[in-house]
Amino acid sequence: MIAPLHPDLSQPAGWLPLAFLIVMGLAMLAYVILDGYDLGVGILMHHAEDAEKDIMIASIGPFWDANETWLVLGVGILLVAFPTAHGQILGALYLPVAMMLLGLILRGVAFDFRVKAHAQNKPAWNLAFHLGSIIAAFSQGFMLGMLVLGFQSSFWSYAFAALIGLCLVAAYSLLGATWLLMKSEGQLQIKAATWARRSLWLAGVGIATISIVTPFASPSIAAKWFSFPNFILLLPIPLITAILFWWIDRILKRLPAQLAQQNQGWIWTPFACTVGIFLLAFHGLAYSLFPYLIIDELTIWQAASAPESLMIIFVGACVVLPVIIGYTVMAYRIFWGKATLLEY
């Protein structure tokens, strides 16, 4: 029996899949923002001096392991709450998922080994951290591009996914550079403003491309966006996104001269605006895809586990999720402020 598109939300079979979709979506959003900036720092390391690389690593040192917890949570929910979708999605994305894991493993190994390595070996571990960051970021962008197109297998779908992969590398670089604006000082901080401006518009190309292509991937998505009055109600999303890009560019133009005068005002603004862009992009993508996990093929209710199983998992999630949030908040409160050298 095929599950209805919008079942009775007063019953566990109706509201439990929706609850898990919300938690999974927020977990993946938290991962993209939190691990996005530390992937961005890794991507930018290649442009820094040796002493600056140590500060860059120190700026993410207390956080990066915890940031990846959100990826584990999101994929874990996909596995236990939506096993049918998990099998189809990861089956279609086997290679980019494997590449992402390779990149994350390479980053993890390099992060620890670079600290203890002899001086002559440290550049190699720095390069490994840099390459691992690029591989992980590009793979995630490639997977996003394939998801938007419903996992079509053609030259143009792969080319589109590769473009989104490159744009996500730029978007993570923007997050990383704006993070360094807040966490670093001196010449590195000035460099971070330059790096952020170089990354800004390629990140914008990625968001614009997804926004344009997604409605054409499915008639149902096009109807959501371009029917009246939806079009008017949704118009603030692209408008505010464009304004945020313009505002970031304006601030980044002024920051190098401002920082040279030891003026630290507004250094948090580019990061906050970049997070705002990610939030708006997530909102638009979530609106486009809902209620499907695979566009026009598999809804969350069709992919969900039995309500009895979901209820047990839901109780566990109610215990685990506050612990993860509490730990994350505590870590950022304790280690907030300018980065200092990490020592082991």
Side-chain angles (χ1 to χ4, degrees):
M1 179 177 177
I2 299 177
L5 191 61
H6 297 289
D8 184 1
L9 297 182
S10 65
Q11 301 298 317
W15 66 264
L16 276 171
L18 185 60
F20 277 103
L21 177 69
I22 292 171
V23 174
M24 182 177 69
L26 293 178
M28 298 310 294
L29 174 63
Y31 170 78
V32 166
I33 293 174
L34 297 179
D35 205 44
Y37 76 72
D38 68 54
L39 282 167
V41 169
I43 293 167
L44 295 169
M45 274 186 64
H46 195 58
H47 304 289
E49 303 294 332
D50 286 342
E52 294 171 340
K53 291 175 183 177
D54 291 336
I55 293 294
M56 292 169 73
I57 289 293
S59 74
I60 64 175
F63 313 113
W64 76 288
D65 267 339
N67 292 344
E68 291 183 354
T69 303
W70 295 103
L71 177 63
V72 176
L73 177 63
V75 176
I77 290 175
L78 179 64
L79 171 62
V80 299
F82 307 107
T84 304
H86 178 274
Q88 293 188 31
I89 291 173
L90 294 192
L93 300 176
Y94 181 83
L95 182 58
V97 168
M99 293 300 295
M100 180 188 71
L101 293 177
L102 175 64
L104 294 177
I105 292 170
L106 190 59
R107 272 170 48 90
V109 173
F111 185 93
D112 288 326
F113 274 65
R114 69 177 298 279
V115 179
K116 296 294 185 180
H118 295 296
Q120 66 270 25
N121 296 327
K122 191 173 181 180
W125 289 116
N126 286 336
L127 178 61
F129 190 82
H130 168 69
L131 292 177
S133 301
I134 291 177
I135 292 170
F138 178 83
S139 299
Q140 291 171 18
F142 190 92
M143 288 187 281
L144 175 61
M146 295 299 292
L147 174 66
V148 165
L149 294 180
F151 308 112
Q152 297 176 21
S153 181
S154 68
F155 170 80
W156 292 112
S157 62
Y158 294 138
F160 171 77
L163 173 62
I164 300 305
L166 292 174
C167 292
L168 190 63
V169 170
Y172 282 168
S173 298
L174 175 62
L175 267 176
T178 54
W179 172 260
L180 289 173
L181 276 173
M182 300 187 298
K183 299 292 286 184
S184 63
E185 298 175 293
Q187 193 62 31
L188 177 57
Q189 195 177 30
I190 296 173
K191 286 183 178 180
T194 303
W195 295 337
R197 195 158 179 235
R198 289 175 181 172
S199 304
L200 180 65
W201 295 110
L202 183 54
V205 167
I207 291 177
T209 303
I210 288 180
S211 301
I212 294 170
V213 170
T214 302
F216 292 99
S218 165
S220 62
I221 296 177
K224 281 185 176 183
W225 280 93
F226 299 124
S227 60
F228 187 84
N230 293 11
F231 179 78
I232 302 298
L233 296 174
L234 295 169
L235 192 59
I237 294 178
L239 288 180
I240 296 173
T241 301
I243 290 171
L244 288 175
F245 271 106
W246 170 80
W247 185 244
I248 293 171
D249 183 65
R250 182 177 179 182
I251 293 174
L252 291 175
K253 284 181 182 178
R254 300 179 176 182
L255 270 180
Q258 174 186 314
L259 294 173
Q261 299 173 0
Q262 305 299 316
N263 182 355
Q264 296 288 314
W266 297 94
I267 59 171
W268 57 271
T269 309
F271 184 79
C273 290
T274 303
V275 171
I277 290 171
F278 273 80
L279 291 173
L280 288 168
F282 172 81
H283 179 83
L285 185 63
Y287 174 78
S288 296
L289 298 181
F290 182 82
Y292 292 99
L293 290 172
I294 299 177
I295 295 177
D296 293 338
E297 288 188 20
L298 192 66
T299 69
I300 59 172
W301 293 284
Q302 292 169 339
S305 298
E308 296 80 7
S309 301
L310 288 179
M311 185 61 73
I312 296 173
I313 303 167
F314 181 76
V315 173
C318 290
V319 175
V320 172
L321 193 58
V323 174
I324 298 175
I325 294 173
Y327 169 80
T328 301
V329 172
M330 182 181 69
Y332 278 88
R333 288 190 61 184
I334 292 174
F335 294 104
W336 196 249
K338 296 295 183 180
T340 57
L341 287 176
L342 279 178
E343 294 182 357
Y344 289 87

